Amino acid sequence: MAQKFQNFINGEWKDAKSGQTFENRNPANWDEVIGTFPKSAEEDVNEAVAAAKAAWEEWRLTPAPKRGDILKKVGDLMVERKEELAREMTREMGKVLAETRGDVQEGIDTAYYAASEGRRLFSYTAPSELPNKFAMAIRTPIGVAGIVTPWNFPMAIPTWKIFPALVCGNCVVFKPASDTPKTATSLVQILHDAGVPKGVVNIVHGGGGAVGMKIVEHPDVALISFTGSSGVGKTIAQSCGKTLKRVSLELGGKNAQVVMDDANLDLALDGVLWGAFGTTGQRCTATSRLILHEKIHDKFVDMLVKRTEKLRLGDGLEKGVEVGPCVNEGQLNTDHEYVEIGKAEGAKLMCGGERATEGDLKKGWFYKPTIFTNVKPGMRIEQEEIFGPVLSVIKVKNFDEAIEVLNDTVYGLSSSVYTRNVNDSFRAIRDIKAGITYINAPTIGAEAHLPFGGVKETGNGHREGGWAVYDFFSELKTVYVDYSDKLQRAQIDNY
Ligand code: UN1
């Protein structure tokens, strides 16, 4: 019998009211069931939102340093349970153990940052233009935050959202991706064990339409933080637009790495292998385009294909495995559809392009790391987010053309330029339209204490991470205290 997991509402583990469940399986071995989870619906969401709303009255009045102390404990528990969390994450979504350890570490970093932020939550005071009058802006909690998260960083991304939400004094209704409900359940257990009061954090498992959108639409949910595709992001934004609900969206990417003719090619090679095929290409920040200067194009492609063909696929829990499976069959099919599209568009398939089925690999959703050359700007494989191990190589004549090709997409999350030319580096920093630019480092590797997010259809202007996310999860209230004992009219009496 598969282990049964539940929702967590108002401090209690409980089934979906309908009693329905869904299964979670290991993408590296589809026979292995991780557990069953409640297939929830609107009635479960309503209960969770009501619990969060009721808990908010006390939570918003809890001093922020005290809320931070709980987050410190959360971080400590994550440190203690790091290995166990990483292993269960690899089992449920497939990425290799080194990476799932990194994912948990990102959550730990976020917890300790949030813990200390409880003693900061700085804002400003400013002098009043009138005598005997004091002016300041303070951060205040907002209410119930709806948190809807993806499966590719099943620990890090929920922590980016939930921890700052809590420190700022909000309550949470959390809907994790249905491919990674176990990691989310463990996170909620940790929050509970660390002393988060009942009702302050609630988790409701289930689908995007049946649960996610019900959270988004709920009138008592004051703000939404979502990471996922641009398509779903637009639907959420439209819904939030109806009531002007505050919403933070982290969406798709079509990130490129540029390699100039003066670059350290070995370094650039390590960078693109990691950026394109780490996490099986399933990161918003994954390198899905490689823009090569024509002088080094052929040599670099040769080096890259040789190394790519040697990458070891397999169960991420096994030593030496470098690339895990796709998260599910649907994602594998999408990857393969794009390979067919690329071929039809006239791109040249250099390696991969098919499912990997040798030995035990046939039990899981493995796809061979794939490289296309002869990709032209504007092709669908060059423009659309694939979210798999498929890399498109584009040849350019010079630096200007490289930046033009890099920018020619509806997305703008991460970007990378390999060059030893300091002038080109700074021009890249200035001219690339993206939320993140790396110089001589791959497109992946964002650190928890710096702002994370993108431009254009990658988001709606907010940032997660670092200090910036605290602006999203708190509302500024401006306060004037007049101690002059008379009516003082701003802009009038003093001029
Ligand atoms: C994501 O791709 O969804 O920079 C998040 C990185 C990670 C976070 C990625 N630290 O790739």
Side-chain angles (χ1 to χ4, degrees), residues 111-410:
Y112 290 143
Y113 191 102
S116 58
E117 200 58 27
R119 290 187 182 271
R120 279 191 295 263
L121 289 184
F122 291 145
S123 190
Y124 289 102
T125 63
S128 165
E129 64 184 45
L130 292 158
N132 299 322
K133 194 175 172 192
F134 180 82
M136 63 182 166
I138 55 172
R139 286 183 190 275
T140 58
I142 302 175
V144 178
I147 307 285
V148 183
T149 58
W151 47 263
N152 64 335
F153 277 81
M155 183 60 80
I157 292 178
T159 68
W160 289 0
K161 300 174 190 298
I162 293 173
F163 296 174
L166 293 177
V167 168
C168 289
N170 306 290
C171 291
V172 166
V173 176
F174 172 29
K175 204 273 313 165
S178 35
D179 280 306
T180 49
K182 178 67 176 78
T183 303
T185 300
S186 300
L187 172 60
V188 169
Q189 182 70 55
I190 286 172
L191 286 158
H192 178 60
D193 293 349
V196 172
K198 80 178 164 91
V200 171
V201 172
N202 307 275
I203 187 170
V204 185
H205 294 282
V211 178
M213 281 312 288
K214 297 301 172 212
I215 296 174
V216 169
E217 289 160 4
H218 201 295
D220 287 335
V221 173
L223 64 166
I224 296 292
S225 180
F226 169 76
T227 297
S229 72
S230 293
V232 175
K234 285 177 192 172
T235 306
I236 291 176
Q238 276 168 11
S239 168
C240 291
K242 285 187 206 151
T243 55
L244 303 179
K245 193 173 285 191
R246 181 183 287 227
V247 56
S248 170
L249 302 167
E250 289 300 339
L251 310 172
K254 192 70 189 173
N255 316 293
Q257 172 178 320
V258 173
V259 184
M260 293 301 292
D261 54 341
D262 62 358
N264 175 339
L265 295 189
D266 294 318
L267 184 70
L269 178 63
D270 286 339
V272 67
L273 280 164
W274 175 227
F277 303 125
T279 325
T280 320
Q282 302 174 126
R283 295 194 187 211
C284 322
T285 53
T287 309
S288 61
R289 297 182 297 155
L290 176 65
I291 301 172
L292 297 179
H293 190 282
E294 60 181 8
K295 277 199 198 139
I296 49 99
H297 176 277
D298 293 355
K299 179 178 175 196
F300 195 79
V301 166
D302 193 49
M303 290 161 67
L304 175 61
V305 170
K306 280 198 185 104
R307 283 277 297 275
T308 303
E309 282 174 333
K310 285 201 196 101
L311 288 172
R312 216 180 119 203
L313 271 63
D315 183 332
L317 290 175
E318 270 171 40
K319 249 198 152 83
V321 166
E322 292 161 295
V323 181
C326 303
V327 73
N328 57 36
E329 189 179 14
Q331 185 59 54
L332 178 120
N333 291 339
T334 301
D335 297 349
H336 191 64
E337 276 159 30
Y338 272 104
V339 166
E340 292 301 329
I341 290 168
K343 285 193 216 161
E345 287 179 311
K348 186 170 172 207
L349 182 65
M350 303 298 289
C351 63
E354 59 186 1
R355 196 171 163 182
T357 51
E358 301 88 56
D360 277 351
L361 296 184
K362 64 175 159 308
K363 291 196 206 155
W365 309 122
F366 291 93
Y367 202 80
K368 291 188 184 166
T370 300
I371 298 173
F372 276 112
T373 57
N374 202 30
V375 176
K376 304 285 179 241
M379 284 183 178
R380 285 186 63 194
I381 54 165
E382 197 266 341
Q383 289 285 314
E384 297 175 21
E385 182 171 50
I386 300 173
F387 227 68
V390 181
L391 179 68
S392 293
V393 183
I394 305 126
K395 181 156 64 174
V396 293
K397 289 195 171 56
N398 52 43
F399 180 77
D400 287 344
E401 192 185 345
I403 299 303
E404 199 181 309
V405 169
L406 186 148
N407 281 337
D408 180 25
T409 143
V410 295

Side-chain angles (χ1 to χ4, degrees), residues 59-75:
W59 186 242
R60 75 183 179 89
L61 299 177
T62 304
K66 189 128 198 280
R67 299 194 294 250
D69 289 346
I70 299 178
L71 269 297
K72 160 76 170 59
K73 178 87 179 136
V74 168

